[in-house]
Amino acid sequence: MRTLECDILVIGSGPGGSMTATVLAEAGLDVLLVEEGEDLTVDSAPSYTMAEMDQKYRAGGLTTTVGKTNVTYIEGRCVGGASEINAALYHPPHDATLDRWAREFKIAGFGADTLRPHFAAIEDEVGVNPRQEGEAPNSKLLERGAQALGWRTTEIKRFWTYPGGRRSMSRTLVPRAVAAGARLRPGTRVLRFSTRGRRALYAEARDAAGPLRIDFQRAVVCCGAVQTPALLRRSGVKKKVGDSLRLHPMVRIAARWDDEVNDPSYGVPVRQVEEFKPALTLGCSHSSQAHIALWLDPDHPDKRTVMENWRTVAVFYAAVCGEGRGSVRSLPVLNEPLVRYELTAGDYSLMDLGVQRLEQLVRAAGAVEVYKPSDLAVTTIHLFSSCPMGEDNSCPVDSYGRLKALDNVMVNDASLLPTSPGVNPQATIMAIARRNATSWVD
């Protein structure tokens, strides 16, 4: 069997993995950064298209939880992970959330004050900016409606430069890691660790040429909230792993105005309603013709007319700080995860309230017609908490990302977040990953 060797194996090149690889490589360590997906450019396919989904999403975006109400979710599967396909919104969590995590999960050396320098470094080194060309028309509608209702809003900064575009990991941290000496190996899937006692000996992997063995001194698993626990469980590490998955359930409505209000060339709208955070976030979705068709009720009596006038229509979302819990399990033989998730009564109630407030919002902004699906279609783009960090007995990972079951394996991605952050999680993932990786080389 072919064999690769490294001191530190980083599995997954999304926000957590790329930050980890950069910090460790720039500290002079021998890093191999392995990514299951391909190494693609940001503009290899137009954003939010079927071509992009085929190239950069796991299973083309056709992934869902199992439960009373299925929740459709997405995972990035390319160099840069979710940072290549998400809205790139930069939104650190509320200080109270970070301090509550430290207290409830007994996370040593953690809290808002501890993470603040790491957020500042991310803003400086990666590039976080407000939109400079003005906000999209539908984003302005949200602001207009909120002002009429007396609700606070804010423009969310993005991992973006103007001009220049998306500051995804494939454009920022991955090249930095490689420049510092890290080796990037796309198209390589790690199947499991071979272990003895409290140590992982090597990784069993596969690439286009077949089976591959990767020898390492330490490994850092950064595969995301679904794939990280799945890999660990395939490796025999199961205690408390994959038992506490959480997510932000999202529901959407569409609304129509008499005038054109929709210009997809602006990209993702960047304004959100702050009034009800972190429990409930109201915002604008990308409103291309395909997305409007997706969120219209299939049984709408005049769907053709609506689609012919799609530039008068915009899509809005309500994101809930979910109370429910789910699990991730590995399916035998297939090497694929089974994801279960149950929404709580509180989740359903808050989603219903979110739809009501969205309707209030768009009506206050002058909408003449509101389209709500007859069946509740729940989606999410934010998953986390499947391997929560802390010294509490419920945590399979310690305060700095070290796996408690194996002495030489760490976790450093969305899995570590103890509960729902109530905001777009990429900034939180990167700040925690930077904090943890820095502690490993100090």
Side-chain angles (χ1 to χ4, degrees):
M1 181 184 296
R2 296 169 301 138
T3 301
L4 295 176
E5 296 181 356
C6 60
D7 287 342
I8 300 180
L9 172 63
V10 179
I11 307 170
S13 63
S18 58
M19 178 63 78
T20 302
T22 299
V23 171
L24 299 182
E26 290 182 344
L29 300 174
D30 173 35
V31 176
L32 176 63
L33 177 59
V34 168
E35 167 58 49
E36 179 181 356
E38 299 303 317
D39 188 5
L40 303 166
T41 62
V42 170
D43 56 0
S44 64
S47 296
Y48 307 107
T49 62
M50 290 297 296
E52 183 186 60
M53 294 176 74
D54 286 340
Q55 287 184 9
K56 298 180 179 181
Y57 289 52
R58 181 175 299 278
L62 300 176
T63 43
T64 185
T65 68
V66 176
K68 180 179 178 181
T69 299
N70 294 346
V71 182
T72 303
Y73 66 91
I74 61 171
E75 295 180 275
R77 185 177 175 271
C78 58
V79 171
S83 74
E84 309 299 315
I85 59 174
N86 63 19
L89 297 181
Y90 174 82
H91 199 322
H94 296 80
D95 287 0
T97 298
L98 297 173
D99 293 338
R100 176 173 55 81
W101 287 350
R103 183 175 61 256
E104 293 183 2
F105 291 83
K106 302 177 184 177
I107 309 175
F110 188 87
D113 290 340
T114 304
L115 286 182
R116 200 161 284 119
H118 298 288
F119 285 114
I122 292 167
E123 293 185 34
D124 181 56
E125 297 171 7
V126 178
V128 175
N129 294 284
R131 187 176 179 89
Q132 293 181 353
E133 300 96 330
E135 293 187 45
N138 46 357
S139 197
K140 293 178 180 177
L141 289 174
L142 182 145
E143 184 177 23
R144 182 199 305 171
Q147 286 179 343
L149 294 167
W151 297 348
R152 294 174 293 113
T153 71
T154 190
E155 177 189 355
I156 308 299
K157 295 180 182 178
R158 301 176 74 188
F159 289 97
W160 215 271
T161 55
Y162 302 93
R166 180 191 294 271
R167 301 292 289 167
S168 68
M169 300 302 98
S170 71
R171 280 184 166 175
T172 56
L173 293 185
V174 172
R176 262 184 62 184
V178 171
R183 290 169 285 157
L184 172 65
R185 188 178 182 88
T188 302
R189 185 182 188 194
V190 174
L191 301 175
R192 63 185 57 83
F193 294 124
S194 177
T195 64
R196 180 184 300 152
R198 291 187 55 84
R199 287 190 65 81
L201 303 178
Y202 59 87
E204 300 175 24
R206 177 174 289 274
D207 62 10
L212 180 68
R213 168 174 166 157
I214 306 175
D215 292 335
F216 56 82
Q217 296 301 311
R218 289 184 288 172
V220 190
V221 186
C222 307
C223 306
V226 172
Q227 301 303 322
T228 284
L231 170 56
L232 294 175
R233 294 185 68 90
R234 289 197 301 268
S235 305
V237 181
K238 298 181 179 181
K239 186 176 181 180
K240 308 297 183 182
V241 169
D243 294 344
S244 54
L245 178 74
R246 302 205 183 196
L247 50 81
H248 288 156
M250 302 178 72
V251 289
R252 290 172 173 82
I253 68 168
R256 181 177 65 82
W257 279 258
D258 285 331
D259 303 317
E260 289 192 1
V261 297
N262 187 354
D263 186 350
S265 68
Y266 280 84
V268 174
V270 294
R271 187 161 292 276
Q272 294 179 346
V273 174
E274 292 285 309
E275 193 72 19
F276 314 109
K277 289 184 178 181
L280 178 65
T281 298
L282 307 180
C284 310
S285 286
H286 186 71
S287 297
S288 68
Q289 193 170 11
H291 281 76
I292 293 170
L294 179 65
W295 298 113
L296 276 180
D297 193 314
D299 298 323
H300 190 279
D302 200 16
K303 189 171 184 178
R304 180 182 295 274
T305 301
V306 174
M307 294 310 303
E308 288 174 350
N309 297 280
W310 67 276
R311 286 190 177 273
T312 67
V313 180
V315 179
F316 298 81
Y317 68 82
V320 172
C321 191
E323 297 177 344
R325 284 195 178 195
S327 64
V328 179
R329 295 292 182 265
S330 295
L331 294 175
V333 181
L334 296 178
N335 285 326
E336 292 294 340
L338 173 66
V339 183
R340 294 186 177 93
Y341 190 85
E342 291 295 344
L343 295 161
T344 68
D347 292 337
Y348 286 111
S349 177
L350 202 50
M351 285 188 290
D352 286 342
L353 179 61
V355 171
Q356 294 172 31
R357 285 179 169 162
L358 282 178
E359 183 166 10
Q360 283 183 271
L361 184 70
V362 297
R363 293 288 190 190
V368 296
E369 193 169 6
V370 178
Y371 310 118
K372 295 182 291 185
S374 55
D375 294 323
L376 188 65
V378 186
T379 66
T380 189
I381 54 176
H382 304 152
L383 303 97
F384 25 73
S385 309
S386 50
C387 297
M389 62 190 292
E391 306 307 322
D392 187 80
N393 289 335
S394 65
C395 301
V397 177
D398 77 6
S399 296
Y400 291 91
R402 301 178 186 90
L403 190 65
K404 294 177 181 178
L406 294 172
D407 293 335
N408 62 333
V409 176
M410 288 81 98
V411 173
N412 219 20
D413 62 10
S415 307
L416 296 179
L417 275 60
T419 64
S420 301
V423 297
N424 302 74
Q426 182 174 326
T428 310
I429 295 164
M430 295 175 69
I432 291 175
R434 189 178 189 276
R435 172 244 190 201
N436 290 350
T438 301
S439 76
W440 302 337
V441 298
D442 282 348

